[in-house]
Each structure stands twice: as C-alpha cells, then as structure tokens.
Amino acid sequence: MRRASVTKAVRALEDSIADPPPMEELAKIAGMSKFHFQRAFQAVVGESVNKHITRLRLERAASYLKYSSWQAGEIAQICGFTSQSNFGRAFRKVYGMSPQEFRKAKGTVPFLRGYARSRPGFELEQNGVPRPTVRIEDWPELQAICFRYYGPMDGVIQPWREL
C-alpha cells in the first residue's frame, strides 16, 4: 500500500516538475502525514523528495540542452531553477561540466542513475503498484524519447516494447 501511495505522489511530481506541488500536497496525494510521506518516499524511491526533484530537473535540462536550441537561461527557467547560476552549479556538480560544455559534448543524455532502485524480488502487482503505462506526449519543439520505469529491471522490457 505504501509503495502505491508514494507512486501516485511521484507521478504528480513528475507531471509538474518545474513547479512541484508543496510537500503537504504530495503527502495528501499519498494519503499520509508530511513526516510519514517523507520517510516513505525515501524508502520507496531511494532518495529524498528534494533530491528527486533536482535530479528530474537536471535530466530534463540535459535533454533540452542536447535536443533544443534554447539558451541555458531559458532552460533553467523552464526546468524550475531559481536562477541560471543555481542551474549551472547544480548541473556542474552532477554532470561534471557546465551546461554549455555538455551541449557541445558528443553523446546522448545519460539518466542520472544510482538513486531509485527496486528491492530484489519486488513484483509490481503483488505490492499494489499498477503495471507501468506508456505515455506519449507531443512536444513539437523537442525530438526526444524519455523513458522512466520504476520496478525490477526484468520488467522494463514490456513497457519498452509498448513504446
């Protein structure tokens, strides 16, 4: 039950990552107190709510840097950073280079792995989490595919095929 409740809040968070709902609203979506939600989120997702928000913003920003012509300041604003300098510091800390260097570098956008992990033997349906669905969004200004999956690695094949 706890995993399913947190998953609802994670989806709400991902739908509005540039301006995420306050912690109280996320806790309400999950049907928990703020304190319990923060602990449950950490246990389920593997990172704090704030780290998760920052990681998602940086992943989105990295995609925009690679696959759009927007300036770094525009990307910082679109992704919810309070300033271009905050964006640049956070980006350098995680990716090891400035946003401009990243844009010029060859290669694809890496997802920031190492935070969200499922537990061994965890099965989605057995723990009340619905099977992942494929959502296709039309972003005319961006040509990219983003795939996020929560669950055991052997379960990623079916959603990928659906995509």
Side-chain angles (χ1 to χ4, degrees):
M1 179 64 177
R2 179 173 74 169
R3 184 173 284 272
S5 298
V6 170
T7 300
K8 289 178 192 174
V10 167
R11 289 189 178 140
L13 187 62
E14 289 177 349
D15 287 342
S16 58
I17 196 64
D19 186 21
M23 190 72 67
E24 293 79 14
E25 188 175 331
L26 292 170
K28 186 176 179 181
I29 290 169
M32 301 177 191
S33 71
K34 180 180 167 184
F35 176 76
H36 187 67
F37 172 71
Q38 289 173 319
R39 291 185 58 190
F41 190 96
Q42 177 78 37
V44 171
V45 177
E47 61 189 343
S48 71
V49 176
N50 289 333
K51 282 188 178 181
H52 190 70
I53 290 169
T54 301
R55 183 170 56 82
L56 293 176
R57 286 176 172 172
L58 288 170
E59 286 177 355
R60 182 169 292 173
S63 293
Y64 287 148
L65 285 166
K66 281 291 187 184
Y67 305 113
S68 80
S69 59
W70 294 334
Q71 297 297 316
E74 293 173 299
I75 293 171
Q77 185 178 16
I78 289 167
C79 293
F81 289 93
T82 56
S83 70
Q84 187 173 347
S85 61
N86 286 344
F87 167 57
R89 272 192 302 277
F91 198 91
R92 182 178 292 279
K93 182 178 178 183
V94 171
Y95 286 99
M97 62 182 82
S98 72
Q100 291 77 11
E101 292 168 332
F102 182 85
R103 175 172 265 166
K104 293 175 185 174
K106 294 189 188 287
T108 58
V109 176
F111 280 101
L112 303 175
R113 302 177 204 285
Y115 296 109
R117 295 185 179 96
S118 65
R119 294 187 177 92
F122 175 78
E123 295 298 327
L124 294 173
E125 291 83 8
Q126 292 174 354
N127 289 284
V129 178
R131 289 196 55 79
T133 58
V134 173
R135 184 174 78 198
I136 298 176
E137 297 179 10
D138 184 23
W139 294 359
E141 69 279 2
L142 182 70
Q143 294 180 355
I145 294 176
C146 179
F147 183 81
R148 182 170 304 283
Y149 171 77
Y150 294 99
M153 286 306 296
D154 60 352
V156 76
I157 295 168
Q158 182 61 33
W160 181 253
R161 285 184 181 148
E162 289 177 27
L163 181 63

